Amino acid sequence: MGSVEHSADPARDDEAESASYGELETEQVRQDLTAIAVRQGTRPRPGRRQEGGSRAASGGLADGHPRYNANNVSHIQENPSSEAESAVRQDRRERRFAQRQALWAITSLDRVRKCGRTTNGNVGDGLAAIVVNGSVAHWSGFCTCGSIWACPVCSAKIRATRADEIARAVAAHMTRDGGTAWMVTLTARHKRHHDLAPLFDAVANGWRKLMSGRAWAGDPKRGVLGERDRLGVRGNIRSMEVTYGTRNGWHPHLHVVLLLSNETGEELAYAIHRWDKTWRAWMKKQGFEPSKEHGVKWSKVTTPEEAGEYIAKTQEGKHIGNEIARGDFKNGKFGTLAPFELLEYFRQTGDMAILPVWQEYEQGTHRRRAITWSRGLRAELLGDEPELSDEEVAAEEVGGETWALLPAESLRAIRRVPGLQTRLLDAAENGGFVELVNLLTAYHLTYQAGPDAPKTEASPAAS
């Protein structure tokens, strides 16, 4: 996927917001637009809607059902089609559960401390259950925190659901309605001494600056159209992403999918240039002016799924397994880390230098929205489909067959054995009820066979 960065005169201040189209450097912005088109193998033609090259056209994403089971936190469907997919899903689940267990000891948020640890009474007082749905097992009866920012388990589940919603909405816009879509990334210069909260605020308020003023909205009283109407902007879906660099500190940046219904090359070129100038002027005023290589980057959306992953991608980063333990956090040997890479580093090393960094992240993102739709857009594209909050998505259960009920003393014992919470699920998935009972017995865990437990010689009413 190609992209191009756009630089503008850094001396321009936020007066660029009120610049008219005629004052913009037409030749330069046309060159910018051509550079994007050449890199991506397609040239926008004035007056024509661009056909969205989408798997949705053949796969029916716009009208289909969500790909992600509400209780399945990986990007694989709830019934894996191969042993390899099952292994990948189990590996992701094991890592996320282990990170959450490490998080219980350092989190500053009470709801996160209770997530997956405190029972909610839904399956009986003090009880939790192992439930099997198809070929996937899950726990039922625990509290969930619903934190898209801080909890590796809830976040993955929420983001999987949001990615599906966004993909289906963008499919409706591109495939059903013939619109186009662009992915826009907006960044700010950041240094290690900068606190997260003011950086976050500067980026969030910079977006509001872009979406206001005559250049954007026009002047209805004088019959002057703004950028919004010239491009036929249907709306936008945006998300804030936060990463941390051991050299340059916090890096909050904004991802936007902009949906257009009347795209032309010339009008788009004006918008690209205006956004860059306005963004740079705003960030300069806040003390976070982007470098020439960064700032505002535009890329054409080619598939609805691409847009969903772009907005709702997980915060797990690129470091896998023990690789993250090979760096030294205190000496700044890491590059940029995603939030749950910070958590993984702590889990593997126990390095308490991570504690103030993690807690600043928790407090700096707490109660802030991660993913936002412009007003009315979701209903327009997804109809009357219910809109669940993050907390509701995290708490939603898909049901299934209840194989075992475990009391409080067994749950406490499970927490004392790292990885046992997921090993029990793996046993149910890979070896069935007999293997689950064998593992419960091996650890001397009291349990009661659930109402849907398979009838075998190894399924006593209680143990």
Side-chain angles (χ1 to χ4, degrees):
M1 177 182 67
S3 63
V4 63
E5 295 82 19
H6 309 280
S7 61
D9 181 1
R12 287 290 300 270
D13 60 15
D14 58 351
E15 290 301 315
E17 175 67 36
S18 61
S20 68
Y21 284 164
E23 295 171 323
L24 295 173
E25 299 147 12
T26 305
E27 183 59 32
Q28 179 61 51
V29 295
R30 284 178 178 170
Q31 290 175 10
D32 285 346
L33 188 65
T34 301
I36 292 177
V38 168
R39 288 193 182 192
Q40 299 185 159
T42 177
R43 292 179 180 270
R45 283 176 282 181
R48 291 194 60 180
R49 292 178 176 175
Q50 302 299 302
E51 295 295 331
S54 167
R55 289 193 295 269
S58 58
L61 241 181
D63 301 313
H65 296 289
R67 293 180 296 157
Y68 305 123
N69 181 299
N71 223 310
N72 177 14
V73 296
S74 74
H75 288 248
I76 294 174
Q77 295 187 30
E78 61 269 27
N79 293 306
S81 60
S82 68
E83 290 184 5
E85 287 187 353
S86 293
V88 169
R89 179 179 47 75
Q90 289 175 359
D91 179 68
R92 288 175 174 170
R93 180 174 63 193
E94 180 181 0
R95 184 172 67 251
R96 290 163 180 163
F97 273 54
Q99 288 173 350
R100 183 174 64 180
Q101 188 164 4
L103 183 58
W104 292 337
I106 64 171
T107 183
S108 60
L109 304 176
D110 186 58
R111 282 179 64 92
V112 175
R113 191 177 299 110
K114 293 177 179 178
C115 186
R117 184 181 186 182
T118 303
T119 55
N120 57 23
N122 289 350
V123 297
D125 189 24
L127 298 176
I130 294 176
V131 179
V132 178
N133 188 325
S135 60
V136 174
H138 63 270
W139 285 96
S140 178
F142 282 118
C143 294
T144 54
C145 64
S147 175
I148 194 172
W149 296 107
C151 176
V153 176
C154 288
S155 177
K157 184 176 177 180
I158 295 164
R159 289 180 184 278
T161 300
R162 301 304 184 215
D164 176 74
E165 292 173 343
I166 293 164
R168 289 185 291 109
V170 174
H173 170 72
M174 293 175 62
T175 306
R176 184 191 68 195
D177 301 338
T180 58
W182 288 80
M183 297 179 293
V184 188
T185 304
L186 302 108
T187 62
R189 186 186 295 272
H190 53 101
K191 298 295 183 181
R192 191 167 184 174
H193 65 273
H194 290 146
D195 293 333
L196 174 58
L199 265 170
F200 200 116
D201 289 340
V203 172
N205 291 330
W207 171 253
R208 298 185 183 97
K209 187 72 173 175
L210 284 174
M211 297 293 103
S212 62
R214 284 190 304 165
W216 169 254
D219 189 343
K221 291 182 179 179
R222 297 181 180 180
V224 177
L225 296 179
E227 183 179 284
R228 178 180 58 196
D229 294 319
R230 289 174 182 267
L231 284 171
V233 177
R234 192 173 193 178
N236 67 80
I237 310 166
R238 59 194 184 275
S239 69
M240 187 76 80
E241 182 180 6
V242 178
T243 56
Y244 183 83
T246 49
R247 294 184 183 88
N248 294 318
W250 296 109
H251 179 39
H253 46 287
L254 197 62
H255 296 284
V256 181
V257 170
L258 188 68
L259 305 182
L260 309 179
S261 58
N262 189 33
E263 176 186 322
T264 67
E266 186 173 7
E267 298 300 344
L268 185 63
Y270 284 131
I272 290 171
H273 200 58
R274 199 274 297 183
W275 281 38
D276 188 80
K277 286 193 171 186
T278 302
W279 183 260
R280 288 180 183 280
W282 170 260
M283 284 302 164
K284 181 180 180 180
K285 189 174 182 179
Q286 306 308 307
F288 306 121
E289 183 184 5
S291 65
K292 290 184 178 181
E293 294 76 23
H294 300 90
V296 184
K297 297 194 296 185
W298 292 66
S299 296
K300 190 81 172 274
V301 173
T302 56
T303 71
E305 294 92 339
E306 178 185 38
E309 297 298 331
Y310 172 74
I311 292 293
K313 64 180 182 179
T314 63
Q315 302 289 278
E316 294 174 312
K318 300 177 182 178
H319 298 84
I320 304 298
N322 292 325
E323 293 177 10
I324 199 167
R326 297 173 190 161
D328 187 335
F329 179 80
K330 292 187 288 292
N331 292 333
K333 293 183 179 179
F334 286 127
T336 298
L337 296 175
F340 298 139
E341 289 180 321
L342 293 171
L343 196 54
E344 181 68 10
Y345 174 79
F346 172 75
R347 182 179 80 86
Q348 294 193 33
T349 67
D351 186 353
M352 293 304 290
I354 211 74
L355 183 59
V357 177
W358 178 261
Q359 292 192 343
E360 182 182 2
Y361 168 72
E362 283 189 331
Q363 294 301 320
T365 57
H366 187 49
R367 299 190 184 283
R368 293 186 187 259
R369 297 190 69 174
I371 299 173
T372 307
W373 299 59
S374 56
R375 184 175 298 177
L377 181 65
R378 189 183 186 281
E380 183 179 343
L381 293 173
L382 296 181
D384 57 359
E385 181 179 314
E387 182 175 5
L388 301 180
S389 68
D390 288 351
E391 292 78 8
E392 289 170 329
V393 170
E396 190 175 25
E397 296 191 4
V398 296
E401 298 178 344
T402 300
W403 279 11
L405 297 165
L406 286 84
E409 58 267 25
S410 292
L411 300 178
R412 286 193 294 269
I414 290 170
R415 288 199 298 270
R416 290 194 291 267
V417 181
L420 185 53
Q421 199 173 30
T422 52
R423 285 178 59 195
L424 289 165
L425 300 181
D426 293 346
E429 292 173 354
N430 298 330
F433 184 66
V434 171
E435 189 61 31
L436 173 62
V437 169
N438 288 342
L439 190 56
L440 289 168
T441 303
Y443 280 92
H444 308 287
L445 297 172
T446 301
Y447 74 96
Q448 180 177 350
D452 308 310
K455 304 302 180 183
T456 71
E457 294 180 1
S459 57
S463 173

